Amino acid sequence: MPQPDLVIFDCDGVLVDSEIIAARVEAELLTLAGYEISAEELAETYAGLTFKDIMMRVEEKSSIPFQVSLIDRAEELVDRKLRSDVRAIDGAREAVAAVTMQRCICSNSRSERIEFMLEKVHLMPFFKNRIFSAMETPTGKTKPAPDVFLFAAEKLNANPSNTFVIEDSVHGVHGARAAGMRVIGFTGATHSYPGHADALTEAGAETVIRRWAELKSVVAALSEWSADA
């Protein structure tokens, strides 16, 4: 049976249920700074982006100037909440363990944050020395730029066209597709919203799963489809 060279997992909103936690903190900070937005709206519109990029997009949209210090404040508060509240998404551990080919993480989060979240939810052994933070790649370009995906594929000697990426955000899907990779959308986190699966499909995901139990069969089916195409 054909297999991918590499399976790439996003972290936030895919392995750990962190997107809604970050969205609540960041929405409150933006609202206090003069731009009223709910956590749900922020997650739907900006999930997958760094807070710096979110802030820049909101500034452009609203013409409200934000203090640069807001970025550090957001990082501090989100880290604090994640350390106490983050949980693994149901079934993530079993799904990751079932992936027998090469696997890694590509995320917009800092590697320090990724590591403490994975340690907390006991997923770190699956990804030791295989964590790629977009901010820490040679270009430093974050998703939706494809750089982190291409960097990981190069380091792990994987063909991008035979690499599968699991992503929960439109921005992440765009980045993976721009890297020439195949994308499986994921909508099983708390921040998921009506129309989420459709948005991921429109962005370029070949299929979308809501439960981790579906991953193994979906990867097998898509691998066969590729071989027959």
Side-chain angles (χ1 to χ4, degrees), residues 87-123:
R87 299 287 183 272
I89 291 174
D90 287 347
R93 182 181 178 84
E94 293 78 8
V96 171
V99 173
T100 56
M101 61 289 292
Q102 286 198 106
R103 57 185 173 232
C104 72
I105 287 175
C106 287
S107 172
N108 272 353
S109 288
R110 307 181 324 275
S111 57
E112 178 195 7
R113 176 180 288 176
I114 300 166
E115 288 168 8
F116 79 63
M117 290 192 296
L118 294 182
E119 291 282 6
K120 181 173 172 61
V121 303
H122 309 296
L123 288 173

Side-chain angles (χ1 to χ4, degrees), residues 150-203:
L150 293 172
F151 182 71
E154 180 183 0
K155 288 293 183 183
L156 298 174
N157 297 310
N159 181 350
S161 66
N162 195 35
T163 295
F164 285 16
V165 180
I166 298 97
E167 274 284 354
D168 67 301
S169 76
V170 166
H171 305 292
V173 174
H174 283 156
R177 293 294 296 138
M181 298 176 178
R182 305 179 69 183
V183 186
I184 299 168
F186 182 76
T187 62
T190 303
H191 73 285
S192 190
Y193 53 89
H196 191 181
D198 290 340
L200 296 178
T201 302
E202 288 168 12

